[in-house]
Amino acid sequence: MIKIIPLLDFPIIEEGDSLGQIILQSYKTNNLEIENNDIIIIAQSIISRSEGAIVDLKEISPSQFASEIAKNTNKDARHVESILREAKAICKQREHVLVTETKHGFVCANSGVDKSNVPGDEFVSLLPKDPDESANKIREKIESETQKKVAIIISDTHNRPFRIGAINIAIGCSGIDPLKKYIGKKDLFGYELKSSIISLADQLCSAAGIQMGEANEGMPVIIIRGINYSRKEVSAKKLIRPAEKDYFR
Amino acid sequence: MIKIIPLLDFPIIEEGDSLGQIILQSYKTNNLEIENNDIIIIAQSIISRSEGAIVDLKEISPSQFASEIAKNTNKDARHVESILREAKAICKQREHVLVTETKHGFVCANSGVDKSNVPGDEFVSLLPKDPDESANKIREKIESETQKKVAIIISDTHNRPFRIGAINIAIGCSGIDPLKKYIGKKDLFGYELKSSIISLADQLCSAAGIQMGEANEGMPVIIIRGINYSRKEVSAKKLIRPAEKDYFR
C-alpha cells in the first residue's frame, strides 16, 4: 500500500527560510517520523518564496517587444516582460495564451510565472533557477539531521496539449531516478516490452497534487510512503523531451 | 491521508468475464471491504479483454493506404490497419511514431492499439468502444451488490508532448466528476484564482499507475481511498481538449 500523507499546519514560507529545517519541524508537529525512502513532494510556490524568486510587477518596465506580445495575447505587459525574462523561446501565442520554453527547457504557460499563492497584489513567483539544486539542498539538510535516506521532488502545475485540466509534474528532484524503464521486461504473457518508459516523478507529483490542492488548502508538502524506487542522482531535466524528438512544439 | 491499495492476486481476465463480480471477489480475497467513496482504477487492458476488444493481426488485410503509412513509419502494415480502423484522424507520423485521434477523440500513439498484456503472439488490444459505459456497468454491479457508493475510472498509459515518460490518464469514468474547478476560489493570500482547472481523474490514474506498473506486476485494479470528490455523472470525454482550443495538434 502507498500512503499519501500531507503535512498539516505548514507555516507560511518567507524568503530565507530553511525549508529542510521547517519540514523536519513539521514532521514533528504532525507526529510523524522521517522514514527511509520517504518521498517528499514540495510545491514550487514555497521553494520560490524561500529563495526570493518573487517579482513585483510594479517595478518592471516592459520592453517594446513585451508590449507587442501583451497586446496580441491580451495580457499585462509587465507580466509578459517577466515571462520573457524567464524564457528562451515562445512556443505559442494566442489571446490569453502564452506558452514558452523556459531557460531550464520546460515548455509551459507563462514560463511558470504565477500569480497564485504569492502575497501582495502585484507580485508573481518565478520558477526556481535550478530546481534540482533546490531539492538537493533540502535533501542534504534532512538526511544530515536524521541519517535517513529520502527523496525530494519539486512539483508544479502544468496545463497540457490534448487534455483539459492541469496536472502536477516534476520540475526538480534529488535522490530518485525520475524515470522508470520497462524496456526488455516481460508482460503477463511473456511478451517483451519494447518501449515503455514511465515518468515516475510526474506520477508521484500528480498523486501528491490530489492532496495538495491549488487554492488555500495550505498543504504545500506531501509525503509519499511505500514506494520501491531507484535511488540515483538524476536531474529532473531528463523528463524534458528534446525539441528534435518533440513533434508537437 | 490517501491510501493507494492494490488488489493482489487478481485473476487473468477473459472475454465475457464480469469485472464487477471479479472485483467484488478480489476485495474479499484481499481481506478488504468496499467502502463508500472508494475510487476503483482499472487498467484498460483488462476492460478490453473482458469485452473481447482483442484483434488477431493474422486476420487483418491492410489497405493500400495502411501499407503506405506502414512503410513511412516502419511499422507492421496489419498493425497500422488496426490503428486506422480505430482512428478518425492522423495527427503525426514519423519513423516508429503514429499519433492519431481515436473515434472517441483521444489523441494518442497508435489509437491506443497495444501489444502488451495481451495473450498470443500477434494479438493486440483495442481501447474499449465506450469506456464510460464500461465503467458504468462495473459500478452498477458493485453498487447494487453492496449498497455502497463507489467511483470507477478506466486508466490508460499515454505518452505526451514536451515530456519524456508516459503517465496514466483517464479514458472512462463513472460516479465522479473528473475535473476539479478552482476558478473563483481564494488562494492562501486571498487572491482569487482565475483559471485553475485540475484533472482529478488523470491525477488519480497517475497515482494508481505508480502501483499498477506496466509489465507483469498483475495489479490491474487499484483502490484509492480517502478522497473527497464530487459524485456526478460526467463523461471522461470532458477531459478531451476540443481541437479548436488545442494549439498543439
Side-chain angles (χ1 to χ4, degrees), chain A residues 204-242:
Chain A
L204 287 164
C205 287
S206 282
I210 298 167
Q211 186 72 270
M212 201 179 261
E214 291 295 302
N216 58 359
E217 293 86 350
M219 291 186 274
V221 180
I222 306 284
I223 303 156
I224 301 190
R225 195 169 269 180
I227 308 228
N228 281 325
Y229 59 92
S230 174
R231 275 193 69 78
K232 264 192 195 163
E233 290 319 307
V234 182
S235 167
K237 287 191 177 165
K238 284 275 176 200
L239 298 170
I240 299 171
R241 193 179 283 276

Side-chain angles (χ1 to χ4, degrees), chain B residues 60-113:
Chain B
I60 286 197
S61 312
S63 70
Q64 209 169 345
F65 181 64
S67 301
E68 199 58 42
I69 301 286
K71 211 158 53 181
N72 296 339
T73 55
N74 202 9
K75 285 177 177 281
D76 181 319
R78 303 163 310 164
H79 188 201
V80 171
E81 175 67 31
S82 67
I83 292 166
L84 295 180
R85 287 180 190 176
E86 299 299 304
K88 63 182 175 193
I90 293 178
C91 298
K92 296 281 171 191
Q93 48 172 315
R94 298 277 190 287
E95 196 172 7
H96 304 298
V97 172
L98 183 56
V99 179
T100 59
E101 181 180 356
T102 71
K103 285 175 184 163
H104 331 78
F106 301 121
V107 177
C108 60
N110 306 325
S111 302
V113 175

Side-chain angles (χ1 to χ4, degrees), chain A residues 1-6 12 49 92 94 97 99 106-107 115-119 157 159-170 179 182 185-189 191 193 196-200 202-204 206-207 209-211 213-218 227 238-242 246-249, chain B residues 1-6 12 49 92 94 97 99 106-107 115-119 157 159-170 179 182 185-189 191 193 196-200 202-204 206-207 209-211 213-218 227 238-242 246-249:
Chain A
M1 187 185 3
I2 297 169
K3 292 178 181 169
I4 301 173
I5 308 164
I12 299 286
R49 287 216 299 278
K92 295 281 171 190
R94 296 279 191 288
V97 173
V99 179
F106 301 120
V107 177
K115 178 68 203 82
S116 65
N117 284 307
V118 180
T157 311
N159 278 298
R160 305 165 288 167
F162 316 153
R163 306 285 290 171
I164 292 283
I167 59 171
N168 284 36
I169 62 151
L179 290 169
Y182 287 91
K185 296 207 171 164
K186 299 271 169 80
D187 75 3
L188 267 183
F189 303 98
Y191 167 77
L193 298 173
S196 290
I197 300 179
I198 298 296
S199 177
L200 175 62
D202 284 352
Q203 296 210 126
L204 287 164
S206 282
I210 298 167
Q211 186 72 270
E214 291 295 302
N216 58 359
E217 293 86 350
I227 308 228
K238 284 275 176 200
L239 298 170
I240 299 171
R241 193 179 283 276
D246 197 337
Y247 312 126
F248 288 95
R249 291 205 186 177
Chain B
M1 188 189 354
I2 297 169
K3 292 178 183 170
I4 301 172
I5 307 163
I12 300 286
R49 286 216 300 276
K92 296 281 171 191
R94 298 277 190 287
V97 172
V99 179
F106 301 121
V107 177
K115 177 68 204 80
S116 65
N117 284 308
V118 180
T157 312
N159 278 299
R160 305 165 288 166
F162 316 155
R163 306 284 289 171
I164 292 282
I167 60 172
N168 284 37
I169 63 152
L179 290 168
Y182 287 91
K185 295 208 171 165
K186 299 272 170 81
D187 76 4
L188 267 182
F189 303 99
Y191 167 78
L193 298 173
S196 290
I197 301 178
I198 299 294
S199 176
L200 174 61
D202 284 351
Q203 296 210 126
L204 287 164
S206 281
I210 298 167
Q211 187 73 270
E214 290 296 304
N216 57 0
E217 293 86 350
I227 308 227
K238 283 274 177 202
L239 298 170
I240 298 172
R241 193 179 284 277
D246 196 337
Y247 312 127
F248 288 94
R249 291 204 188 178

Side-chain angles (χ1 to χ4, degrees), chain A residues 60-199:
Chain A
I60 285 196
S61 313
S63 70
Q64 211 170 344
F65 181 65
S67 301
E68 199 58 41
I69 301 287
K71 212 160 50 184
N72 296 340
T73 56
N74 203 7
K75 284 177 177 281
D76 182 318
R78 304 162 310 163
H79 188 202
V80 171
E81 176 66 31
S82 67
I83 291 165
L84 296 180
R85 287 180 191 177
E86 299 299 305
K88 63 182 174 192
I90 294 177
C91 299
K92 295 281 171 190
Q93 47 173 314
R94 296 279 191 288
E95 197 171 7
H96 304 299
V97 173
L98 183 55
V99 179
T100 59
E101 181 180 356
T102 71
K103 286 175 184 162
H104 330 79
F106 301 120
V107 177
C108 59
N110 305 324
S111 303
V113 175
D114 193 14
K115 178 68 203 82
S116 65
N117 284 307
V118 180
D121 259 8
E122 300 213 291
F123 288 83
V124 291
S125 74
L126 314 178
L127 293 187
K129 278 234 173 325
D130 183 344
D132 289 324
E133 183 52 30
S134 309
N136 279 334
K137 274 189 194 150
I138 296 167
R139 182 162 74 98
E140 276 166 17
K141 176 74 181 168
I142 291 176
E143 293 193 342
S144 74
E145 297 268 328
T146 62
Q147 311 303 316
K148 305 275 182 177
K149 297 289 181 196
V150 300
I152 307 288
I153 304 179
I154 298 169
S155 170
D156 195 13
T157 311
H158 279 200
N159 278 298
R160 305 165 288 167
F162 316 153
R163 306 285 290 171
I164 292 283
I167 59 171
N168 284 36
I169 62 151
I171 61 168
C173 65
S174 177
I176 185 169
D177 187 342
L179 290 169
K180 198 163 175 182
K181 297 183 184 76
Y182 287 91
I183 297 164
K185 296 207 171 164
K186 299 271 169 80
D187 75 3
L188 267 183
F189 303 98
Y191 167 77
E192 194 174 287
L193 298 173
K194 300 271 191 319
S195 65
S196 290
I197 300 179
I198 298 296
S199 177

Side-chain angles (χ1 to χ4, degrees), chain A residues 10-69:
Chain A
F10 203 82
I12 299 286
I13 296 302
E14 290 177 13
E15 184 171 351
D17 282 349
S18 162
L19 273 178
Q21 189 58 51
I22 291 169
I23 289 170
L24 284 167
Q25 185 56 44
S26 181
Y27 263 80
K28 277 191 198 145
T29 54
N30 278 272
N31 290 317
L32 292 164
E33 302 266 355
I34 301 268
E35 290 187 10
N36 272 319
N37 297 320
D38 273 1
I39 301 174
I40 303 171
I41 316 279
I42 307 175
Q44 161 271 325
S45 58
I46 67 167
I47 302 281
S48 296
R49 287 216 299 278
S50 73
E51 294 178 357
I54 304 291
V55 167
D56 185 351
L57 291 183
K58 286 196 288 297
E59 290 176 6
I60 285 196
S61 313
S63 70
Q64 211 170 344
F65 181 65
S67 301
E68 199 58 41
I69 301 287

